[in-house]
Amino acid sequence: MSDKIFVETVRTTPTFKKRFEFVERKGLGHPDTICDLVMNKISIELSKLYLKETGMIQHHNMDKTMLVAGQTENKFGGGKILKPMKLVMGDRATTSIDGRQLPIGDFAITTAKSWFEKNLRYVKDEHVEYQLELGKSSGQLRSIFKSPKSFASNDTSVLVGYAPYTETESVVLGMEQYINSKKFKAEFPASGEDVKVMGFRNGDCLDLTVAIAFVDSFVDSQNDYFKKKRQMLDAITEFGKKKTPLRIHAAINCLDDERKGIDGVYLTVLGTSADNADSGEVGRGNKANRVISPSRPAGAEAIAGKNPVSHIGKIYNAMSFKIADEVHKNVMGFDEVFVWMYNVIGMPVNDPKAVVVQPITKNNSEITTSQINQINEIVSSNLEKMDEFCKKLLSEQIEIA
């Protein structure tokens, strides 16, 4: 395996030392995040169903999905739903084993309904319609799963991870989690789950632009909306100042306009813009480390909904970040670490064609033989424990969005 692990020193300025940085986080109720989390949950539960019914996980991928926005009539004090959202669930699954049909479609819908019920306070059964576009897996791809001890890669892909989090990434992630926390919702029940945080760092100044979908049943009037908005902004600013030494400037719902009445405020009925204003897709949400960082390298594969034992678009997506984090924490002398993982369809998942580790050394010093040896040990150890890692993906011990 060591002949497939490559270490290359990168001589450049690490992200946290650059003057400018951009980071985004799409929260729990954002339409893109809904698609990611719902379809990932379906993949996980479907994998468990396959294990129960057939003794092993079968071929499936649940990563081609769109949430089509509904239509509402917003009103201070509580609006109404005119047209429900529609979740179009697509891609491929193994629908029968040895001539025995499996109820994949019904199972997917039931799992999606359960996710909405547990995660979005105001979304009920009648607020979402479901359209199934799940086709039957091809025979060639299903054949990968006939030998459970050595799954072949489902795709040809290259994925990349990095470490550590920058201060900006930590603040943006923490800010969304704070706004969607039980504590914040108890204090500000008008705040919906659809939260987006965009951070722009210029030196030691961090500009945070936050979008929060207000739930109209908790807003009595235009004046009440702007009062609650100011109170939320104060809480958010205070949280940011406690979390980071960076100088914080925050703003909420920047499209608001007091001159336009109800059309000048960000109201929803269900706490998500998907009830009226915005559709969503798998893969347009957060990356495998739960933020979107245009300042860092990124692979092209969505992590959500892919098969947890054969699709490297999921497995390597998550593992590359894990390896990068372990290298940064355990090998002294690196400011930043990038890890690229590459494999070809049909090759064993635990035997990638290449793993390229690119550390940025402190002060651009030369990488040492000892550091290279430590990196090789970390990468090899992770590849040897691939089955254990996949089980953690299946048991949701690894957060993906």
Side-chain angles (χ1 to χ4, degrees):
M1 175 53 64
S2 60
D3 62 332
K4 297 180 181 180
I5 303 172
F6 306 94
V7 181
E8 176 189 32
T9 303
V10 178
R11 288 183 169 82
T12 188
T13 303
T15 306
F16 72 93
K17 290 184 179 179
K18 293 177 180 178
R19 176 178 172 182
F20 301 110
E21 184 183 4
F22 301 89
V23 180
E24 181 180 357
R25 165 77 179 171
K26 295 180 179 180
L28 178 67
H30 189 284
D32 294 330
T33 307
I34 291 173
C35 288
D36 282 348
L37 292 176
V38 168
M39 298 313 292
N40 199 67
K41 185 65 174 177
I42 290 173
S43 171
I44 287 170
E45 295 304 319
L46 183 56
S47 296
K48 294 176 181 177
L49 176 68
Y50 285 137
L51 282 169
K52 178 182 177 181
E53 296 293 330
T54 74
M56 58 185 293
I57 296 173
Q58 302 293 332
H59 179 267
H60 71 275
N61 284 311
M62 297 286 173
D63 60 339
K64 304 295 188 299
T65 291
M66 171 176 280
L67 180 63
V68 182
Q71 188 175 349
T72 64
E73 180 182 313
N74 292 115
K75 183 179 178 181
F76 292 120
K80 59 183 179 180
I81 302 296
L82 302 178
K83 181 181 179 181
M85 300 174 280
K86 179 182 286 188
L87 187 65
V88 184
M89 297 185 284
D91 219 333
R92 293 290 184 268
T94 301
T95 57
S96 63
I97 298 292
D98 298 328
R100 180 165 57 96
Q101 290 295 124
L102 298 173
I104 304 303
D106 291 343
F107 184 84
I109 292 174
T110 300
T111 304
K113 286 182 176 181
S114 176
W115 185 92
F116 280 109
E117 180 182 350
K118 290 178 181 178
N119 291 280
L120 301 183
R121 292 169 294 169
Y122 306 111
V123 177
K124 309 303 179 186
D125 275 359
E126 65 268 22
H127 298 145
V128 187
E129 292 181 351
Y130 298 91
Q131 179 178 329
L132 287 172
E133 300 294 342
L134 297 175
K136 181 180 177 180
S137 296
S138 73
Q140 188 177 31
L141 289 174
R142 291 200 309 273
S143 70
I144 290 173
F145 295 80
K146 292 182 178 179
S147 175
K149 294 185 178 180
S150 58
F151 286 125
S153 173
N154 193 111
D155 200 3
T156 299
S157 301
V158 58
L159 289 309
V160 59
Y162 54 80
Y165 275 119
T166 65
E167 188 73 15
T168 307
E169 289 169 332
S170 294
V171 172
V172 168
L173 175 60
M175 181 66 75
E176 184 277 324
Q177 292 176 326
Y178 167 63
I179 297 170
N180 266 326
S181 68
K182 291 182 179 179
K183 178 179 182 297
F184 192 92
K185 297 308 183 206
E187 187 173 356
F188 303 106
S191 65
E193 286 84 6
D194 192 346
V195 177
K196 176 178 171 180
V197 181
M198 176 67 79
F200 167 53
R201 180 179 59 79
N202 181 354
D204 65 350
C205 298
L206 179 56
D207 188 74
L208 294 172
T209 302
V210 183
I212 303 176
F214 279 54
V215 181
D216 60 8
S217 58
F218 290 95
V219 181
D220 297 331
S221 64
Q222 184 185 41
N223 287 337
D224 187 42
Y225 174 91
F226 282 100
K227 176 184 176 181
K228 287 179 165 63
K229 177 179 170 179
R230 287 191 296 270
Q231 292 171 338
M232 288 186 201
L233 180 59
D234 288 344
I236 286 168
T237 302
E238 183 66 22
F239 174 84
K241 288 180 178 179
K242 289 181 179 179
K243 189 171 180 64
T244 177
L246 295 172
R247 289 183 289 165
I248 295 287
H249 174 266
I252 296 177
N253 297 356
C254 294
L255 189 60
D256 289 350
D257 189 334
E258 295 187 58
R259 299 167 298 178
K260 295 181 179 179
I262 199 166
D263 291 331
V265 293
Y266 184 13
L267 292 179
T268 66
V269 176
L270 303 177
T272 171
S273 60
D275 72 4
N276 182 59
D278 194 13
S279 297
E281 277 186 275
V282 167
R284 297 186 71 251
N286 307 308
K287 304 305 179 184
N289 66 333
R290 300 181 294 155
V291 293
I292 303 165
S293 296
S295 306
R296 309 257 218 168
E301 291 280 359
I303 187 173
K306 287 183 168 63
N307 194 296
V309 295
S310 72
H311 206 306
I312 59 175
K314 184 187 200 76
I315 301 164
Y316 291 3
N317 224 330
M319 180 169 277
S320 60
F321 280 99
K322 180 176 184 290
I323 292 174
D325 184 61
E326 290 182 7
V327 169
H328 181 262
K329 287 179 177 177
N330 295 294
V331 184
M332 300 298 293
F334 298 152
D335 274 334
E336 193 167 16
V337 178
F338 305 104
V339 174
W340 302 81
M341 299 185 71
Y342 165 66
N343 212 345
V344 173
I345 190 168
M347 299 296 293
V349 171
N350 62 356
D351 188 16
K353 292 277 286 186
V355 179
V356 178
V357 182
Q358 296 178 314
I360 300 176
T361 58
K362 296 183 183 294
N363 302 316
N364 284 325
S365 59
E366 289 291 335
I367 194 167
T368 67
T369 300
S370 174
Q371 288 172 321
I372 292 173
N373 289 338
Q374 290 177 75
I375 290 170
N376 283 330
E377 289 178 9
I378 291 170
V379 174
S380 296
S381 175
N382 275 275
L383 296 179
E384 288 169 3
K385 298 174 183 176
M386 184 70 75
D387 287 348
E388 180 181 325
F389 183 77
C390 291
K391 288 177 182 177
K392 289 182 177 180
L393 287 171
L394 183 61
S395 61
E396 299 178 270
Q397 295 180 52
I398 299 171
E399 294 184 88
I400 62 94

